[in-house]
Amino acid sequence: MMKVEIWSDIVCPFCYIGKRKFENALKTLPFKDKIEIHWKSYQLNPSLQVEKGVDAYDVLARKKGQPREWAIEMYTNIQEAGKQVGLDFRFDHAIPANTFEAHRFAQLAKSIGKGNEAEEMLFKAYFTDGKDLSDAEILRNIGKELGIEEESLETLFSTDIFSGEVQKDLYEAEQIRIQGVPFFVFDRKYAISGAQDEIAFSQTLEKSFQEWLGNNPSDDLQIIEGKVCRMDGECD
């Protein structure tokens, strides 16, 4: 399968929008089942901590040195962009938090083949449901919904397991000079930065897949059935 890697942070609204646009493009392509998606950890604000009485508007305004009203207007525009792809952004009750623990959780989910499902649930938990994704109990509940074994969740929250995987993704992002997320890498040949239009995803998927296919000929043959003789001696 051809690999598509996506660097993303769970509190990045354009990462959620980009995810939906990428998925909308992919589902229209005949080779969609030949694409393997790998989510990669990225932190936009690694020093951020939950502060009582401080919401998403305050965090953005503080980071950009702008008044709160400016931040509200910015997020209102993003909210409208989300609606266009069926997303319900509720910035008024999103809880800004450090995402390192959520990325460790996502790495656990990825290790058992549930990375994409975990990312979707984490995005929804933050942007729509107003959940604190630095809270182990909230992550534990999401894990149970995903069907992750209790023992695996207990190990996750009682050790630093998967921290190395998160750090590796962060280091790799530096090495390939990722300046912002979402960042999509197609078969390590092409990349898209940002929540581009679906046509950009479709065209890049088409181009990269055809090149990948040239180097990885398919073993799936379309067989026209006819009368044959078999090794057991029977003919039909």
Side-chain angles (χ1 to χ4, degrees):
M1 298 179 73
M2 192 191 85
K3 184 186 295 185
V4 176
E5 298 160 290
I6 309 172
W7 271 266
S8 166
D9 198 2
I10 298 142
V11 294
C12 162
F14 286 114
C15 291
Y16 201 5
I17 293 172
K19 178 180 186 293
R20 192 62 83 245
K21 288 186 174 183
F22 171 80
E23 291 170 338
N24 288 343
L26 180 60
K27 69 184 180 183
T28 67
L29 300 174
F31 52 82
K32 59 181 179 294
D33 294 332
K34 293 290 185 181
I35 302 301
E36 187 173 58
I37 300 169
H38 288 251
W39 287 90
K40 298 280 194 172
S41 301
Y42 192 91
Q43 283 198 287
L44 290 167
N45 195 344
S47 63
L48 182 65
Q49 300 295 331
V50 174
E51 296 182 58
K52 188 175 181 179
V54 175
D55 61 16
Y57 302 127
D58 295 325
V59 171
L60 180 61
R62 180 192 302 169
K63 187 173 184 178
K64 296 296 185 179
Q66 297 288 341
R68 178 180 169 87
E69 291 71 25
W70 174 87
I72 292 174
E73 182 179 355
M74 289 294 294
Y75 275 139
T76 298
N77 294 335
I78 295 174
Q79 191 173 34
E80 289 304 311
K83 286 180 180 179
Q84 294 177 16
V85 289
L87 300 179
D88 182 16
F89 287 121
R90 299 182 183 179
F91 295 107
D92 55 327
H93 70 283
I95 301 175
N98 193 292
T99 57
F100 193 86
E101 289 301 295
H103 282 301
R104 283 205 308 129
F105 171 83
Q107 293 282 349
L108 166 61
K110 184 167 70 173
S111 74
I112 59 172
K114 295 188 176 184
N116 203 55
E117 296 92 329
E119 292 291 335
E120 182 67 27
M121 292 182 72
L122 289 168
F123 278 131
K124 183 178 181 297
Y126 177 75
F127 285 112
T128 303
D129 300 334
K131 301 293 186 181
D132 176 3
L133 294 183
S134 65
D135 188 312
E137 193 59 32
I138 287 172
L139 294 173
R140 189 190 301 275
N141 290 335
I142 295 173
K144 290 177 180 178
E145 287 186 55
L146 277 171
I148 298 177
E149 293 182 356
E150 181 66 36
E151 183 179 351
S152 297
L153 293 169
E154 184 59 38
T155 300
L156 179 71
F157 299 120
S158 62
T159 70
D160 66 350
I161 191 171
F162 293 109
S163 293
E165 285 80 354
V166 175
Q167 295 290 359
K168 181 180 178 181
D169 286 352
L170 298 176
Y171 174 76
E172 197 170 9
E174 291 182 3
Q175 295 305 109
I176 60 178
R177 296 182 176 86
I178 294 176
Q179 302 296 315
V181 287
F183 195 85
F184 301 78
V185 177
F186 302 78
D187 196 32
R188 286 296 167 122
K189 287 186 177 180
Y190 303 100
I192 287 179
S193 177
Q196 299 283 352
D197 290 336
E198 291 174 21
I199 187 65
F201 287 116
S202 296
Q203 291 174 343
T204 307
L205 281 163
E206 287 273 12
K207 182 177 179 61
S208 55
F209 181 76
Q210 291 306 319
E211 292 183 11
W212 175 86
L213 193 59
N215 296 320
N216 300 271
S218 176
D219 292 327
D220 298 331
L221 302 178
Q222 293 185 4
I223 301 174
I224 299 174
E225 299 287 355
K227 294 185 180 298
V228 297
C229 291
R230 308 183 190 283
M231 293 180 66
D232 60 8
E234 292 188 12
C235 295
D236 55 31

